[in-house]
Amino acid sequence: MHTHQHQQHPARPAPPGARPPRTLARDLAGLPEGSLARIAGWVHRRRALARLTFVVVRDRTGLAQVVVREPEALAALAGLPEETVVEVTGTVRLDPAAPGGAELVEPTFEALTEPATPPPVELWRPTFGAGLPTHLDHAAVTLRHPRHRAAWQLASASTAGFRSALGALDFTEIATPKLVGTATESGANVFTVDYFGRTAYLAQSPQLYKQMLVGVFERVFEVGPVFRAEPHDTVRHLAQYTSLDAELGFVRDHRDVLAVLREVLAGMVEAVRRDAADAVRLLEVDLPVVPEQLPVVHFSEALAIVGADPDEPDLSPAHERALGEWALAEHGSDFLAVEGYPMGKRPFYTHPQPDDPQWSNSFDLLFRGLELTTGGQRLHRPSDYAAALERTGTDPALLAGYLDAFAHGMPPHGGFAIGLERWVARLTRVENVREVTLFPRDLHRLTP
Amino acid sequence: MHTHQHQQHPARPAPPGARPPRTLARDLAGLPEGSLARIAGWVHRRRALARLTFVVVRDRTGLAQVVVREPEALAALAGLPEETVVEVTGTVRLDPAAPGGAELVEPTFEALTEPATPPPVELWRPTFGAGLPTHLDHAAVTLRHPRHRAAWQLASASTAGFRSALGALDFTEIATPKLVGTATESGANVFTVDYFGRTAYLAQSPQLYKQMLVGVFERVFEVGPVFRAEPHDTVRHLAQYTSLDAELGFVRDHRDVLAVLREVLAGMVEAVRRDAADAVRLLEVDLPVVPEQLPVVHFSEALAIVGADPDEPDLSPAHERALGEWALAEHGSDFLAVEGYPMGKRPFYTHPQPDDPQWSNSFDLLFRGLELTTGGQRLHRPSDYAAALERTGTDPALLAGYLDAFAHGMPPHGGFAIGLERWVARLTRVENVREVTLFPRDLHRLTP
């Protein structure tokens, strides 16, 4: 696939064997007019006109246009179908009309691999022209579509923002076991693993470990996979997703946790704005404004707002959507925290509301009408754990290593977890979290 | 456990109900002499002398000393055993002789939880006074020992340095599936999962996914758990560890990969130096100098250096130690890259050495005589994959989603993976990786 080198520019013959260094697409317009440049990437599109062919080359920074008029180079293009990886050496022509303000002319092509098989979907079309199953079946290729790439760039920048916001608040990053001996947080929806002949479980969250580590570092966070054996096929559940977890000690109550969550969300939005600007533009993401104070309503108040029965034990997705609209209308906020969920619906480690223990010091944060985050204050006194385990019928022996932390002194603490895929789905306003997950796993899908 | 508030300082009575904000241990010496301050943390140590008792309080930033002379406060201390979580309000006394340069006097104590059960090991002793099994059995508490905390702070800072070095080089962070449909990288040492009635496997590495994603983002990294069903009980293997993975496209060969690894190591060392300075000091870590160019020897040369049979297919741990000593003596380097490992010992995706295909374009990086990293150039042509799978007897159908990436155009690429726990073990010169892992998992251990 090596096309022969020919004279690049009469005034500046390339010395034999010398090649200019690689220039990234985003930097092409910064080179001097007439200079020799080399780009490298995937043949994104070939567009043949009567007397010339445009070749668009895609690299990690964007697209670069190559103008081909020479018969030899035009002939070489026949062997370089879309997605073939190439190096193109040519002369820089600055042109405000070209995409990015510059193009390469008088090119020579060198293929870095064999001619590519045509992808199942034309990746150069601005809209991805196939359904979700085609995308997911061929993810290794279809993720290259600029819109799919961009969605993940939002995720990647969000994660970095999560970490830097918490790092600035003195949080320590942790890594907790994903293989656990007991499925105590919830007996249902847990994957079992053959662990050297014993049964182990995949961790549904780092909850118990992040609490224990509050005893060590006071403030901890983890970004990692969590596993749910979700038996239902819904647009918002995955068998594996990325959980952005934080937990901190020495809080007065869940409102201190919410204040940290507010800082984290602001950091995530800011990181997306700064580090994924191209993706924001391409996907026309309407970045939320994070209010200085997240608006908060009590669970009982939330039921009243949506006109639900005051004895409802939980909020339905329809309730959440209605509350999202209410928050936007009433507070001009894309976010709404609902605090005080009934204790009966919350896990055993949940701290009750001190003045009325039927309610809890926990919250859900709704983002544009979808639950994004669950959090709250946890119990911290060993006697409260003893009572909670008795109430829920849990054998304390199964939690011995965890209960150790409380017996040996734990501060009042709380935390939250953000589902990364849900966050990006809401940012991009897609229904199905699979659209913004690199290689989703669910009831039906274990490949690629 | 609430001890009664009494007058703090005759000249400045605390207004009823008002409390000073919390001061962290590290900030205490920055307060004015005589001011009222509140600290919060764990009772690290009580030391009773004839006429006074020193109470050392531990928080996330260090230790603060409280001097107790008042009978009421002394009486309260009896109910505040070590590890009880307390708030202490008192008067700041600047004293160069006090740890950190300041102490609190005339204190009042408020317990934030019930009196703590004494830990299995006295955490205030400078050296951890028990063996590894005691530490691991009671990790929720024994990780609080300053030396254990410090070891993880090295890990946490290293991880941040890994990410920031790669972020500066335009790498995109990814999150890949940990549940996979085929155990193709190596049939052995893989955990099986009951996946909705089917068999799935826990990913032994993100290798195949990070390669596919080079096709999308060119340069990717992931920090995440990997799983090995190691049937042997060794000091350097765990069933779950944290892998720092990177992969990049458009390389000439594995030497370009090694150049990125060099930048990453320098970034990790720098982050540890900057963000974990207290831990470095406490553990007397001798941080390595990362040479501008990592010294490299060929595998065949390495065998000659250690006097091994030139037909040996691999390096033993003893060989690695000898090479570590050689690198220090010969190059003044804690690091040595060994390139060219025999193809027969490398995975199917390994790129051969072009001028002599019995050897590979892969490397191990030794750090102080221990294998820290494996990396190299991978195959990128679909025909090379077809040949490699035929040679190794692998059914291409099992890898369909992965092979898609190559059929549709992949650049020359390569990457590496660093085992976080091994890195920290070498930094701290401990033999057993379990000593620097938060909650290790192995053949025998699934709790806490």
Side-chain angles (χ1 to χ4, degrees), chain A residues 70-99:
Chain A
E70 299 71 21
E72 195 173 0
L74 284 170
L77 282 183
L80 302 172
E82 274 70 16
E83 294 308 303
T84 304
V85 179
V86 294
E87 289 188 340
V88 189
T89 306
T91 302
V92 175
R93 193 174 154 264
L94 301 179
D95 178 357

PDB file of all heavy atoms in Angstrom, chain A residues 70-99:
ATOM      1  N   GLU A  70      -3.954  14.722  -8.399  1.00  0.00           N
ATOM      2  CA  GLU A  70      -2.921  14.070  -9.178  1.00  0.00           C
ATOM      3  C   GLU A  70      -3.358  12.653  -9.537  1.00  0.00           C
ATOM      4  O   GLU A  70      -3.821  11.904  -8.665  1.00  0.00           O
ATOM      5  CB  GLU A  70      -1.620  14.033  -8.363  1.00  0.00           C
ATOM      6  CG  GLU A  70      -1.075  15.408  -7.983  1.00  0.00           C
ATOM      7  CD  GLU A  70      -1.921  16.129  -6.916  1.00  0.00           C
ATOM      8  OE1 GLU A  70      -2.677  15.461  -6.176  1.00  0.00           O
ATOM      9  OE2 GLU A  70      -1.810  17.375  -6.840  1.00  0.00           O
ATOM     10  N   PRO A  71      -3.178  12.270 -10.775  1.00  0.00           N
ATOM     11  CA  PRO A  71      -3.656  10.952 -11.212  1.00  0.00           C
ATOM     12  C   PRO A  71      -3.112   9.802 -10.362  1.00  0.00           C
ATOM     13  O   PRO A  71      -3.852   8.883 -10.015  1.00  0.00           O
ATOM     14  CB  PRO A  71      -3.156  10.849 -12.662  1.00  0.00           C
ATOM     15  CG  PRO A  71      -2.955  12.268 -13.101  1.00  0.00           C
ATOM     16  CD  PRO A  71      -2.591  13.058 -11.883  1.00  0.00           C
ATOM     17  N   GLU A  72      -1.840   9.890  -9.997  1.00  0.00           N
ATOM     18  CA  GLU A  72      -1.256   8.775  -9.254  1.00  0.00           C
ATOM     19  C   GLU A  72      -1.906   8.639  -7.864  1.00  0.00           C
ATOM     20  O   GLU A  72      -2.236   7.540  -7.417  1.00  0.00           O
ATOM     21  CB  GLU A  72       0.256   9.014  -9.106  1.00  0.00           C
ATOM     22  CG  GLU A  72       1.014   7.780  -8.691  1.00  0.00           C
ATOM     23  CD  GLU A  72       2.528   8.033  -8.723  1.00  0.00           C
ATOM     24  OE1 GLU A  72       2.942   9.167  -9.068  1.00  0.00           O
ATOM     25  OE2 GLU A  72       3.276   7.099  -8.395  1.00  0.00           O
ATOM     26  N   ALA A  73      -2.099   9.769  -7.221  1.00  0.00           N
ATOM     27  CA  ALA A  73      -2.720   9.743  -5.898  1.00  0.00           C
ATOM     28  C   ALA A  73      -4.191   9.332  -6.002  1.00  0.00           C
ATOM     29  O   ALA A  73      -4.702   8.582  -5.154  1.00  0.00           O
ATOM     30  CB  ALA A  73      -2.590  11.113  -5.223  1.00  0.00           C
ATOM     31  N   LEU A  74      -4.873   9.802  -7.040  1.00  0.00           N
ATOM     32  CA  LEU A  74      -6.269   9.408  -7.231  1.00  0.00           C
ATOM     33  C   LEU A  74      -6.376   7.894  -7.418  1.00  0.00           C
ATOM     34  O   LEU A  74      -7.276   7.246  -6.872  1.00  0.00           O
ATOM     35  CB  LEU A  74      -6.863  10.124  -8.458  1.00  0.00           C
ATOM     36  CG  LEU A  74      -7.213  11.603  -8.251  1.00  0.00           C
ATOM     37  CD1 LEU A  74      -7.552  12.273  -9.581  1.00  0.00           C
ATOM     38  CD2 LEU A  74      -8.376  11.751  -7.274  1.00  0.00           C
ATOM     39  N   ALA A  75      -5.413   7.335  -8.132  1.00  0.00           N
ATOM     40  CA  ALA A  75      -5.420   5.885  -8.332  1.00  0.00           C
ATOM     41  C   ALA A  75      -5.199   5.159  -7.012  1.00  0.00           C
ATOM     42  O   ALA A  75      -5.849   4.151  -6.721  1.00  0.00           O
ATOM     43  CB  ALA A  75      -4.337   5.494  -9.343  1.00  0.00           C
ATOM     44  N   ALA A  76      -4.300   5.704  -6.202  1.00  0.00           N
ATOM     45  CA  ALA A  76      -4.016   5.062  -4.914  1.00  0.00           C
ATOM     46  C   ALA A  76      -5.254   5.036  -4.026  1.00  0.00           C
ATOM     47  O   ALA A  76      -5.464   4.107  -3.241  1.00  0.00           O
ATOM     48  CB  ALA A  76      -2.880   5.801  -4.200  1.00  0.00           C
ATOM     49  N   LEU A  77      -6.119   6.045  -4.160  1.00  0.00           N
ATOM     50  CA  LEU A  77      -7.297   6.142  -3.287  1.00  0.00           C
ATOM     51  C   LEU A  77      -8.242   4.962  -3.437  1.00  0.00           C
ATOM     52  O   LEU A  77      -8.972   4.617  -2.503  1.00  0.00           O
ATOM     53  CB  LEU A  77      -8.071   7.430  -3.595  1.00  0.00           C
ATOM     54  CG  LEU A  77      -7.508   8.717  -3.018  1.00  0.00           C
ATOM     55  CD1 LEU A  77      -8.445   9.877  -3.353  1.00  0.00           C
ATOM     56  CD2 LEU A  77      -7.343   8.585  -1.512  1.00  0.00           C
ATOM     57  N   ALA A  78      -8.228   4.356  -4.625  1.00  0.00           N
ATOM     58  CA  ALA A  78      -9.119   3.217  -4.832  1.00  0.00           C
ATOM     59  C   ALA A  78      -8.816   2.104  -3.832  1.00  0.00           C
ATOM     60  O   ALA A  78      -9.702   1.351  -3.431  1.00  0.00           O
ATOM     61  CB  ALA A  78      -8.956   2.704  -6.266  1.00  0.00           C
ATOM     62  N   GLY A  79      -7.569   2.028  -3.392  1.00  0.00           N
ATOM     63  CA  GLY A  79      -7.180   0.990  -2.437  1.00  0.00           C
ATOM     64  C   GLY A  79      -7.244   1.439  -0.991  1.00  0.00           C
ATOM     65  O   GLY A  79      -6.703   0.766  -0.117  1.00  0.00           O
ATOM     66  N   LEU A  80      -7.866   2.576  -0.753  1.00  0.00           N
ATOM     67  CA  LEU A  80      -7.924   3.122   0.614  1.00  0.00           C
ATOM     68  C   LEU A  80      -9.374   3.395   1.010  1.00  0.00           C
ATOM     69  O   LEU A  80      -9.782   4.537   1.198  1.00  0.00           O
ATOM     70  CB  LEU A  80      -7.112   4.420   0.694  1.00  0.00           C
ATOM     71  CG  LEU A  80      -5.627   4.333   0.320  1.00  0.00           C
ATOM     72  CD1 LEU A  80      -5.004   5.735   0.267  1.00  0.00           C
ATOM     73  CD2 LEU A  80      -4.867   3.462   1.318  1.00  0.00           C
ATOM     74  N   PRO A  81     -10.155   2.348   1.176  1.00  0.00           N
ATOM     75  CA  PRO A  81     -11.556   2.587   1.537  1.00  0.00           C
ATOM     76  C   PRO A  81     -11.687   3.246   2.919  1.00  0.00           C
ATOM     77  O   PRO A  81     -10.723   3.274   3.697  1.00  0.00           O
ATOM     78  CB  PRO A  81     -12.169   1.189   1.533  1.00  0.00           C
ATOM     79  CG  PRO A  81     -11.030   0.232   1.574  1.00  0.00           C
ATOM     80  CD  PRO A  81      -9.841   0.929   1.006  1.00  0.00           C
ATOM     81  N   GLU A  82     -12.878   3.752   3.178  1.00  0.00           N
ATOM     82  CA  GLU A  82     -13.151   4.406   4.455  1.00  0.00           C
ATOM     83  C   GLU A  82     -12.716   3.505   5.617  1.00  0.00           C
ATOM     84  O   GLU A  82     -12.913   2.293   5.592  1.00  0.00           O
ATOM     85  CB  GLU A  82     -14.658   4.720   4.576  1.00  0.00           C
ATOM     86  CG  GLU A  82     -15.067   6.041   3.956  1.00  0.00           C
ATOM     87  CD  GLU A  82     -14.993   6.069   2.428  1.00  0.00           C
ATOM     88  OE1 GLU A  82     -14.915   4.991   1.808  1.00  0.00           O
ATOM     89  OE2 GLU A  82     -15.010   7.180   1.851  1.00  0.00           O
ATOM     90  N   GLU A  83     -12.144   4.118   6.635  1.00  0.00           N
ATOM     91  CA  GLU A  83     -11.624   3.491   7.865  1.00  0.00           C
ATOM     92  C   GLU A  83     -10.221   2.901   7.705  1.00  0.00           C
ATOM     93  O   GLU A  83      -9.625   2.484   8.698  1.00  0.00           O
ATOM     94  CB  GLU A  83     -12.581   2.459   8.472  1.00  0.00           C
ATOM     95  CG  GLU A  83     -13.874   3.083   8.995  1.00  0.00           C
ATOM     96  CD  GLU A  83     -13.613   4.254   9.951  1.00  0.00           C
ATOM     97  OE1 GLU A  83     -12.914   4.054  10.957  1.00  0.00           O
ATOM     98  OE2 GLU A  83     -14.104   5.371   9.678  1.00  0.00           O
ATOM     99  N   THR A  84      -9.688   2.860   6.494  1.00  0.00           N
ATOM    100  CA  THR A  84      -8.286   2.462   6.364  1.00  0.00           C
ATOM    101  C   THR A  84      -7.426   3.508   7.082  1.00  0.00           C
ATOM    102  O   THR A  84      -7.711   4.703   7.030  1.00  0.00           O
ATOM    103  CB  THR A  84      -7.894   2.380   4.876  1.00  0.00           C
ATOM    104  OG1 THR A  84      -8.787   1.471   4.229  1.00  0.00           O
ATOM    105  CG2 THR A  84      -6.463   1.891   4.704  1.00  0.00           C
ATOM    106  N   VAL A  85      -6.391   3.034   7.757  1.00  0.00           N
ATOM    107  CA  VAL A  85      -5.519   3.944   8.499  1.00  0.00           C
ATOM    108  C   VAL A  85      -4.383   4.375   7.579  1.00  0.00           C
ATOM    109  O   VAL A  85      -3.710   3.534   6.977  1.00  0.00           O
ATOM    110  CB  VAL A  85      -4.971   3.268   9.765  1.00  0.00           C
ATOM    111  CG1 VAL A  85      -4.043   4.215  10.518  1.00  0.00           C
ATOM    112  CG2 VAL A  85      -6.125   2.835  10.665  1.00  0.00           C
ATOM    113  N   VAL A  86      -4.209   5.669   7.456  1.00  0.00           N
ATOM    114  CA  VAL A  86      -3.243   6.198   6.486  1.00  0.00           C
ATOM    115  C   VAL A  86      -2.373   7.293   7.116  1.00  0.00           C
ATOM    116  O   VAL A  86      -2.745   7.919   8.119  1.00  0.00           O
ATOM    117  CB  VAL A  86      -3.961   6.831   5.263  1.00  0.00           C
ATOM    118  CG1 VAL A  86      -4.712   5.769   4.471  1.00  0.00           C
ATOM    119  CG2 VAL A  86      -4.902   7.958   5.692  1.00  0.00           C
ATOM    120  N   GLU A  87      -1.246   7.491   6.490  1.00  0.00           N
ATOM    121  CA  GLU A  87      -0.469   8.710   6.675  1.00  0.00           C
ATOM    122  C   GLU A  87      -0.565   9.484   5.369  1.00  0.00           C
ATOM    123  O   GLU A  87      -0.490   8.880   4.288  1.00  0.00           O
ATOM    124  CB  GLU A  87       0.994   8.400   6.963  1.00  0.00           C
ATOM    125  CG  GLU A  87       1.214   7.806   8.325  1.00  0.00           C
ATOM    126  CD  GLU A  87       2.688   7.677   8.667  1.00  0.00           C
ATOM    127  OE1 GLU A  87       3.525   7.691   7.732  1.00  0.00           O
ATOM    128  OE2 GLU A  87       2.985   7.550   9.851  1.00  0.00           O
ATOM    129  N   VAL A  88      -0.725  10.772   5.469  1.00  0.00           N
ATOM    130  CA  VAL A  88      -0.788  11.612   4.276  1.00  0.00           C
ATOM    131  C   VAL A  88       0.252  12.712   4.429  1.00  0.00           C
ATOM    132  O   VAL A  88       0.246  13.440   5.429  1.00  0.00           O
ATOM    133  CB  VAL A  88      -2.181  12.264   4.114  1.00  0.00           C
ATOM    134  CG1 VAL A  88      -2.274  12.937   2.740  1.00  0.00           C
ATOM    135  CG2 VAL A  88      -3.291  11.248   4.294  1.00  0.00           C
ATOM    136  N   THR A  89       1.142  12.777   3.457  1.00  0.00           N
ATOM    137  CA  THR A  89       2.124  13.847   3.445  1.00  0.00           C
ATOM    138  C   THR A  89       1.759  14.778   2.292  1.00  0.00           C
ATOM    139  O   THR A  89       1.460  14.307   1.196  1.00  0.00           O
ATOM    140  CB  THR A  89       3.540  13.275   3.252  1.00  0.00           C
ATOM    141  OG1 THR A  89       3.754  12.286   4.263  1.00  0.00           O
ATOM    142  CG2 THR A  89       4.591  14.367   3.401  1.00  0.00           C
ATOM    143  N   GLY A  90       1.706  16.057   2.568  1.00  0.00           N
ATOM    144  CA  GLY A  90       1.307  16.994   1.519  1.00  0.00           C
ATOM    145  C   GLY A  90       1.693  18.408   1.899  1.00  0.00           C
ATOM    146  O   GLY A  90       2.394  18.644   2.898  1.00  0.00           O
ATOM    147  N   THR A  91       1.221  19.324   1.086  1.00  0.00           N
ATOM    148  CA  THR A  91       1.567  20.729   1.263  1.00  0.00           C
ATOM    149  C   THR A  91       0.392  21.456   1.902  1.00  0.00           C
ATOM    150  O   THR A  91      -0.759  21.271   1.490  1.00  0.00           O
ATOM    151  CB  THR A  91       1.882  21.350  -0.108  1.00  0.00           C
ATOM    152  OG1 THR A  91       2.945  20.600  -0.701  1.00  0.00           O
ATOM    153  CG2 THR A  91       2.297  22.808   0.033  1.00  0.00           C
ATOM    154  N   VAL A  92       0.703  22.261   2.903  1.00  0.00           N
ATOM    155  CA  VAL A  92      -0.353  22.975   3.620  1.00  0.00           C
ATOM    156  C   VAL A  92      -0.865  24.132   2.773  1.00  0.00           C
ATOM    157  O   VAL A  92      -0.086  24.933   2.250  1.00  0.00           O
ATOM    158  CB  VAL A  92       0.186  23.525   4.968  1.00  0.00           C
ATOM    159  CG1 VAL A  92      -0.882  24.378   5.658  1.00  0.00           C
ATOM    160  CG2 VAL A  92       0.644  22.387   5.855  1.00  0.00           C
ATOM    161  N   ARG A  93      -2.198  24.193   2.657  1.00  0.00           N
ATOM    162  CA  ARG A  93      -2.816  25.321   1.986  1.00  0.00           C
ATOM    163  C   ARG A  93      -3.829  25.911   2.965  1.00  0.00           C
ATOM    164  O   ARG A  93      -4.765  25.244   3.389  1.00  0.00           O
ATOM    165  CB  ARG A  93      -3.518  24.832   0.713  1.00  0.00           C
ATOM    166  CG  ARG A  93      -3.913  25.972  -0.185  1.00  0.00           C
ATOM    167  CD  ARG A  93      -4.486  25.518  -1.511  1.00  0.00           C
ATOM    168  NE  ARG A  93      -5.338  26.604  -1.947  1.00  0.00           N
ATOM    169  CZ  ARG A  93      -6.660  26.659  -1.745  1.00  0.00           C
ATOM    170  NH1 ARG A  93      -7.278  25.639  -1.205  1.00  0.00           N
ATOM    171  NH2 ARG A  93      -7.341  27.731  -2.112  1.00  0.00           N
ATOM    172  N   LEU A  94      -3.556  27.129   3.372  1.00  0.00           N
ATOM    173  CA  LEU A  94      -4.473  27.788   4.306  1.00  0.00           C
ATOM    174  C   LEU A  94      -5.642  28.326   3.497  1.00  0.00           C
ATOM    175  O   LEU A  94      -5.452  28.979   2.472  1.00  0.00           O
ATOM    176  CB  LEU A  94      -3.760  28.911   5.048  1.00  0.00           C
ATOM    177  CG  LEU A  94      -2.537  28.459   5.870  1.00  0.00           C
ATOM    178  CD1 LEU A  94      -1.871  29.649   6.548  1.00  0.00           C
ATOM    179  CD2 LEU A  94      -2.920  27.410   6.899  1.00  0.00           C
ATOM    180  N   ASP A  95      -6.847  28.000   3.951  1.00  0.00           N
ATOM    181  CA  ASP A  95      -8.035  28.397   3.199  1.00  0.00           C
ATOM    182  C   ASP A  95      -9.197  28.486   4.177  1.00  0.00           C
ATOM    183  O   ASP A  95      -9.634  27.465   4.706  1.00  0.00           O
ATOM    184  CB  ASP A  95      -8.326  27.354   2.110  1.00  0.00           C
ATOM    185  CG  ASP A  95      -9.584  27.709   1.325  1.00  0.00           C
ATOM    186  OD1 ASP A  95     -10.247  28.715   1.662  1.00  0.00           O
ATOM    187  OD2 ASP A  95      -9.905  26.956   0.392  1.00  0.00           O
ATOM    188  N   PRO A  96      -9.673  29.701   4.400  1.00  0.00           N
ATOM    189  CA  PRO A  96     -10.770  29.856   5.366  1.00  0.00           C
ATOM    190  C   PRO A  96     -11.985  29.015   5.006  1.00  0.00           C
ATOM    191  O   PRO A  96     -12.787  28.672   5.880  1.00  0.00           O
ATOM    192  CB  PRO A  96     -11.100  31.356   5.284  1.00  0.00           C
ATOM    193  CG  PRO A  96      -9.921  32.000   4.649  1.00  0.00           C
ATOM    194  CD  PRO A  96      -9.268  30.972   3.778  1.00  0.00           C
ATOM    195  N   ALA A  97     -12.107  28.637   3.734  1.00  0.00           N
ATOM    196  CA  ALA A  97     -13.277  27.845   3.334  1.00  0.00           C
ATOM    197  C   ALA A  97     -13.122  26.368   3.700  1.00  0.00           C
ATOM    198  O   ALA A  97     -14.100  25.627   3.752  1.00  0.00           O
ATOM    199  CB  ALA A  97     -13.502  27.986   1.827  1.00  0.00           C
ATOM    200  N   ALA A  98     -11.889  25.920   3.928  1.00  0.00           N
ATOM    201  CA  ALA A  98     -11.667  24.503   4.266  1.00  0.00           C
ATOM    202  C   ALA A  98     -12.085  24.254   5.715  1.00  0.00           C
ATOM    203  O   ALA A  98     -11.976  25.144   6.561  1.00  0.00           O
ATOM    204  CB  ALA A  98     -10.193  24.144   4.076  1.00  0.00           C
ATOM    205  N   PRO A  99     -12.543  23.027   5.998  1.00  0.00           N
ATOM    206  CA  PRO A  99     -12.884  22.711   7.391  1.00  0.00           C
ATOM    207  C   PRO A  99     -11.641  22.891   8.265  1.00  0.00           C
ATOM    208  O   PRO A  99     -10.582  22.380   7.924  1.00  0.00           O
ATOM    209  CB  PRO A  99     -13.296  21.242   7.342  1.00  0.00           C
ATOM    210  CG  PRO A  99     -13.439  20.880   5.899  1.00  0.00           C
ATOM    211  CD  PRO A  99     -12.665  21.864   5.099  1.00  0.00           C
TER     212      PRO A  99
END
